[in-house]
Amino acid sequence: MQILDILALFIFLAGVFIYINTYYLKLPSSVGLMILALGLSLALLILNELIPEFKLGTERILKDYDYHEVLYQLVLSFLLFAGALQIDFKKLAEERTAVIILAFVGVIISTAIVGVSVYYLLDWIGLELDMMYCLVFGALISPTDPIAVSATIRKYNLSKNLETRIAGESLFNDGIAVVMALTLLDLAHSGEDHYIGPVDILWVFGTDIIGGIIIGLFLGYLGYRLLKYIDNDEVEVEVLMTLALVMAGTQLAEFTHVSAKQAVVIMGLVIGNEGKSGHVTSAAGDYVFKFWYLIEETLSAMLFVLIGLEMLIIPLRYDYFAAGLFAYIIVLAARYISVGAPIAAMSTFRKFEGNTINVLAWGGLRGGIPIALSLSLPDFEGKEIIITMTYTVVVCSVLYQGLTIPHLMRTTFNDKKPQQPKTKSSHS
């Protein structure tokens, strides 16, 4: 099979997944796609046992092609840019202190707790994984997916402040966690040759983020100015312009060795909010935003297809999956601590609703970002353990938390029932 054949297969399966979930399962997007991905994995495993030639062909397809560059360079950038477009920048500015502290401090706390705990967990189970790679796992599993619960959360009339904190914290912890994971990965490789201290870590981490923000601001403003002069009817030019900016920004950030993911987040915030105001309301409005929403949904579905296929070449070892189940408990506990500690500290000078910690912690599902990041890691001893644990944590998070979040919202907010959607009038 050629690479275009594989891409066509992924898009076809993603389309089938979205169709089945939309018209038959009718579950939240991440929950439905995860169930279908599990079904695909089970079906392929059965076929592998029944038809040995099918197994050999599947393994050859997955091993012959390196998805690292595609996942890291395009998928992650597109997902982060699409998510940033949806954020209300003015509201985010009002909550910037809470969002930045929750995202930055939360990722550091979560990475440390998960990384150290998983290191000792694996040692107890009898598996070996270097501490630095355990910290890489702690960082890559920290990003949360607001899309998975946003539709449910909107039904319960949460305050705009809380909605902004949830969306903003998730958006920025995505970018920060990606930078953290890749920084730790680089240090893990270079640490084999010389000692890496805390100052080195802070320097690499800081320059990556600051450099990414500078590039994001520059290209975001450039994109806004270009969109401003595009004729309102030139929809295809507007869409291609945003695509070009994301891809060029990613490559420029990579060339200058700064965070491409932080750059696209800032670009999305600038273009998304400046594009909604003034002269470019229709130019960067419906068509551009609908296009990027479609990209986000499609890529998320493709990631679930890919993780289902990737499991075929991972050793089906009980100790790996047992480690994943224990890791899920650790990740959930770390999430409560990583949002609870900053909120407790900020409560002395900022008001938080009484149920903020529960909503942020239980609603912080893991989704496409950890999956893409784990699959995009270069080969090293222990990568299979990390992919298996990531897969297990994401499955448990999406299915268990995703299916129980409506109950949590009802009990947390005084048993309020969700708003019923408005019915269409007879002449509409």
Side-chain angles (χ1 to χ4, degrees):
M1 294 182 71
Q2 301 298 317
I3 190 65
L4 288 179
D5 297 326
I6 297 173
L7 182 61
L9 175 63
F10 282 177
I11 294 176
F12 171 75
L13 289 174
V16 170
F17 278 19
I18 293 174
Y19 179 84
I20 293 174
N21 185 56
T22 301
Y23 291 100
Y24 295 99
L25 298 182
K26 298 181 179 179
L27 293 169
S29 178
S30 294
V31 176
L33 292 176
M34 180 56 75
I35 291 174
L36 292 169
L38 290 174
L40 175 65
S41 296
L42 179 61
L44 292 177
L45 287 173
I46 293 174
L47 285 174
N48 283 350
E49 294 300 321
L50 297 177
I51 309 174
E53 293 80 5
F54 180 84
K55 180 178 182 180
L56 293 175
T58 305
E59 290 180 350
R60 186 169 61 251
I61 291 173
L62 293 174
K63 290 180 177 179
D64 286 351
Y65 297 97
D66 183 12
Y67 302 103
H68 172 268
E69 291 299 322
V70 175
L71 286 170
Y72 177 67
Q73 299 284 8
L74 295 180
V75 174
L76 285 175
S77 294
F78 283 6
L79 284 174
L80 291 172
F81 180 81
L85 282 177
Q86 311 302 323
I87 302 297
D88 185 337
F89 189 76
K90 293 180 179 178
K91 197 66 184 177
L92 180 63
E94 297 175 5
E95 299 293 332
R96 61 184 180 277
T97 302
V99 167
I100 292 173
I101 292 176
L102 281 170
F104 188 79
V105 177
V107 166
I108 293 176
I109 293 175
S110 176
T111 299
I113 293 175
V114 174
V116 174
S117 300
V118 165
Y119 176 78
Y120 289 106
L121 166 68
L122 294 178
D123 183 64
W124 176 64
I125 292 177
L127 298 172
E128 291 186 8
L129 187 63
D130 186 85
M131 172 64 83
M132 193 61 76
Y133 289 122
C134 290
L135 291 172
V136 170
F137 170 73
L140 71 84
I141 204 63
S142 294
T144 55
D145 181 12
I147 301 169
V149 293
S150 60
T152 301
I153 288 175
R154 281 196 295 267
K155 297 177 182 178
Y156 290 88
N157 293 324
L158 300 187
S159 68
K160 288 296 181 181
N161 289 341
L162 183 53
E163 285 189 7
T164 301
R165 287 167 183 167
I166 293 172
E169 186 262 346
S170 180
L171 175 67
F172 279 97
N173 74 19
D174 281 350
I176 292 171
V178 170
V179 176
M180 176 75 79
L182 296 175
T183 301
L184 290 170
L185 185 64
D186 289 341
L187 294 174
H189 291 160
S190 61
E192 297 172 0
D193 301 323
H194 60 278
Y195 172 74
I196 302 295
V199 175
D200 300 306
I201 297 175
L202 291 175
W203 172 254
V204 174
F205 187 62
T207 53
D208 272 6
I209 290 182
I210 294 172
I213 290 174
I214 292 172
I215 289 178
L217 287 172
F218 170 73
L219 290 180
Y221 181 74
L222 175 64
Y224 159 67
R225 299 299 299 179
L226 291 173
L227 285 172
K228 184 176 180 179
Y229 292 103
I230 295 175
D231 188 273
N232 291 350
D233 295 328
E234 300 294 336
V235 177
E236 67 280 4
V237 179
E238 300 155 11
V239 172
L240 287 173
M241 184 66 65
T242 56
L243 273 172
L245 284 169
V246 173
M247 298 177 75
T250 300
Q251 293 302 319
L252 178 60
E254 289 297 312
F255 178 76
T256 54
H257 302 289
V258 299
S259 170
K261 308 313 165 231
Q262 207 63 47
V264 296
V265 166
I266 300 300
M267 286 167 54
L269 287 173
V270 173
I271 293 175
N273 287 271
E274 293 297 335
K276 291 176 183 176
S277 61
H279 174 74
V280 286
T281 299
S282 57
D286 288 344
Y287 289 100
V288 171
F289 288 89
K290 287 179 179 178
F291 169 79
W292 281 101
Y293 176 78
L294 173 63
I295 289 291
E296 189 174 33
E297 289 292 308
T298 303
L299 290 179
S300 295
M302 290 175 64
L303 286 176
F304 284 109
V305 171
L306 182 56
I307 194 66
L309 295 174
E310 191 76 11
M311 288 304 296
L312 298 177
I313 59 174
I314 294 176
L316 298 179
R317 293 179 47 169
Y318 293 113
D319 50 353
Y320 284 13
F321 285 100
L325 290 173
F326 284 114
Y328 169 67
I329 298 173
I330 293 171
V331 168
L332 186 56
R335 175 65 178 171
Y336 269 96
I337 297 172
S338 65
V339 299
I343 287 175
M346 288 188 288
S347 296
T348 58
F349 60 89
R350 180 178 291 270
K351 183 179 179 181
F352 286 87
E353 297 179 37
N355 301 305
T356 300
I357 295 176
N358 278 338
V359 174
L360 279 171
W362 200 260
L365 309 189
R366 271 59 183 179
I369 299 295
I371 291 174
L373 198 51
S374 67
L375 292 177
S376 68
L377 294 175
D379 290 332
F380 59 86
E381 188 175 354
K383 178 182 177 180
E384 293 177 343
I385 300 176
I386 289 180
I387 292 178
T388 305
M389 288 195 299
T390 302
Y391 178 82
T392 307
V393 170
V394 170
V395 169
C396 293
S397 172
V398 170
L399 295 185
Y400 182 48
Q401 292 171 241
L403 291 173
T404 56
I405 189 69
H407 175 72
L408 170 71
M409 300 299 293
R410 286 194 296 269
T411 55
T412 300
F413 294 96
N414 300 321
D415 292 320
K416 289 181 182 178
K417 293 184 178 180
Q419 291 180 321
Q420 295 299 321
K422 295 179 180 179
T423 56
K424 295 182 180 179
S425 61
S426 58
H427 58 275
S428 60

